[in-house]
Amino acid sequence: ADMKCRQVSQLVITRGSRSTLAVTLDHQVIEMRPKKVSTVDTVGAGDAFAGALSVALAKKATLKSALEWANAAGSLATLRSGAQEAMPTRSMVRRLLKSNSQALLIK
């Protein structure tokens, strides 16, 4: 069987509370800082990020917008204990992105 080599078109690296990095095939580098929050539990944050990123990209968002959306979802997922219980809703992510203040998130 003939195997075709597929090239990675973009690489996304999450780094917890540090900036998320994305590198594209055309050498574009995007660094996106997540919202600072008072973390309770990091379980599920990566899953929230990956799910939110996938949905945003499937809806044809730019990579930068998708990363911002995913970072917000990942940050919100750390505010409560557990994985499923802490998953943010779409409206929670929208509210966080619209907010200029992080006062409600930081204790």
Side-chain angles (χ1 to χ4, degrees):
D2 221 2
M3 297 290 286
K4 288 187 178 181
C5 182
R6 293 188 181 230
Q7 200 169 28
V8 173
S9 62
Q10 56 196 20
L11 175 66
V12 176
I13 305 164
T14 59
R15 304 184 307 158
S17 62
R18 295 170 50 208
S19 296
T20 299
L21 299 176
V23 181
T24 66
L25 191 58
D26 60 350
H27 306 287
Q28 179 186 16
V29 177
I30 299 172
E31 186 172 355
M32 182 71 58
R33 295 183 61 102
K35 297 279 190 178
K36 291 185 181 181
V37 296
S38 293
T39 299
V40 173
D41 185 1
T42 60
V43 171
D47 293 330
F49 178 95
L53 181 67
S54 298
V55 167
L57 291 174
K59 290 184 172 263
K60 306 297 184 206
T62 65
L63 180 56
K64 187 175 179 180
S65 294
L67 290 170
E68 184 177 37
W69 182 263
N71 269 350
S75 291
L76 287 168
T78 69
L79 296 177
R80 296 191 328 209
S81 292
Q84 264 186 304
E85 304 85 0
M87 286 296 132
T89 63
R90 186 172 281 157
S91 63
M92 291 168 70
V93 174
R94 274 194 207 106
R95 203 169 346 151
L96 177 58
L97 290 175
K98 286 181 182 178
S99 170
N100 290 331
S101 170
Q102 296 176 2
L104 296 175
L105 300 176
I106 300 173
K107 292 180 183 173

